[in-house]
Amino acid sequence: MIGGGGTGIGRAIVRAYAAAGAAVVVADVDAARATEAAAELRTAGHTAHAMSGDVRSREQLDDMIAGAAERLGGLDILVTVVGGQVAFVPAVKLHEMNDEDWETVYDLNLRYVARAVRRVLRLFLEQETGGNIVSIGSVTGFMAAPKQAGYGAAKAGLYSLARTVAAEYAADGIRMNIVAGGAISTAVNNANPAGDRVPEIPAGRYGTSEEMAAAAVYLASDEARYVTGQQIVLDGGVSVRGPFPE
Ligand SMILES: NC(=O)c1ccc[n+]([C@@H]2O[C@H](COP(=O)([O-])OP(=O)(O)OC[C@H]3O[C@@H](n4cnc5c(N)ncnc54)[C@H](O)[C@@H]3O)[C@@H](O)[C@H]2O)c1
């Protein structure tokens, strides 16, 4: 089940999971996007369902997870994709940020993930099948995030959640890992008024949604069966580059 799968990185993830043989439920607040994404996958011969709901609503989140498990006859993988800051609230320095905007960013990046993780953990334990959780994080979770403090703090929380899931549930065959992106070429980034960040990226280009999706598939695959509580960083070298001249 992929939440936020209607467009951007989530859309690439549903395609990649389907191509890898998974039956998927595409969940998105935008019903038309989810329907279109699932229809595209079915046309290509895959098993795919669409669901709509707002991850900020406890009831709707619960319904999406229960509904996905019902449609697929159980759940093996949860991927949480919904997140961001600039698409939802103004980018301002920390002292200028109000409580409401902080709450919004927290809701959309961490609170719903923690709820969804708790819900699927219960399901995985009931099923006695093990399970996988992959959450989309960001380099802002471990690098300074000017004018995106709430976003960075929430993304840092995802990695903490993954480490705890690893410690508490590895023995049950349940894993959780994070795919942390740098600057990825998506609608929100391409429209970013802060402009082109390519000069700061050692790889000389933005990452792609397909590259994020490939990491998300690997982490949920059997090849990654000994990998849990980890964060894979896809940032073209941004986070490891020192301030040294060439
Ligand atoms: N774009 C980047 O450069 C970048 C970099 C690093 C990490 N990320 C992370 O990747 C993830 C996806 O980013 P994106 O750029 O693909 O986003 P996007 O805005 O292109 O797509 C997000 C999807 O989530 C859906 N959505 C939004 N609010 C929702 C809600 N309340 N309930 C359910 N669905 C909702 C949207 O309809 C949309 O289909 C986010 O977690 C973001 O933080 C993005």
Side-chain angles (χ1 to χ4, degrees), residues 74-219:
L75 272 190
D76 301 316
I77 303 165
L78 167 73
V79 185
T80 68
V81 185
V82 178
Q85 171 158 330
V86 293
F88 304 111
V89 305
V92 294
K93 287 181 78 172
L94 186 52
H95 73 281
E96 296 167 325
M97 197 167 187
N98 61 41
D99 280 349
E100 290 70 31
D101 286 351
W102 182 277
E103 285 293 320
T104 299
V105 172
Y106 178 69
D107 268 352
L108 284 162
N109 287 280
L110 185 57
R111 194 195 308 271
Y112 91 86
V113 179
R115 276 191 190 134
V117 166
R118 283 181 276 142
R119 181 69 183 78
V120 296
L121 283 172
R122 289 178 207 128
L123 191 70
F124 291 158
L125 291 170
E126 269 166 36
Q127 293 177 169
E128 297 182 359
T129 51
N132 260 290
I133 302 163
V134 177
S135 287
I136 304 303
S138 161
V139 293
T140 58
F142 60 91
M143 297 178 77
K147 297 190 177 173
Q148 298 196 72
Y151 180 55
K155 291 297 193 186
L158 291 184
Y159 189 16
S160 171
L161 204 57
R163 290 191 297 253
T164 301
V165 169
E168 290 188 344
Y169 301 100
D172 299 295
I174 298 170
R175 302 188 288 111
M176 177 170 177
N177 292 287
I178 309 297
V179 179
I184 308 299
S185 180
T186 56
V188 68
N189 245 339
N190 299 338
N192 187 352
D196 187 6
R197 285 186 271 159
V198 167
E200 297 145 33
I201 304 172
R205 64 171 178 84
Y206 281 30
T208 66
S209 294
E210 288 70 29
E211 287 163 342
M212 294 287 282
V217 168
Y218 163 71
L219 286 172

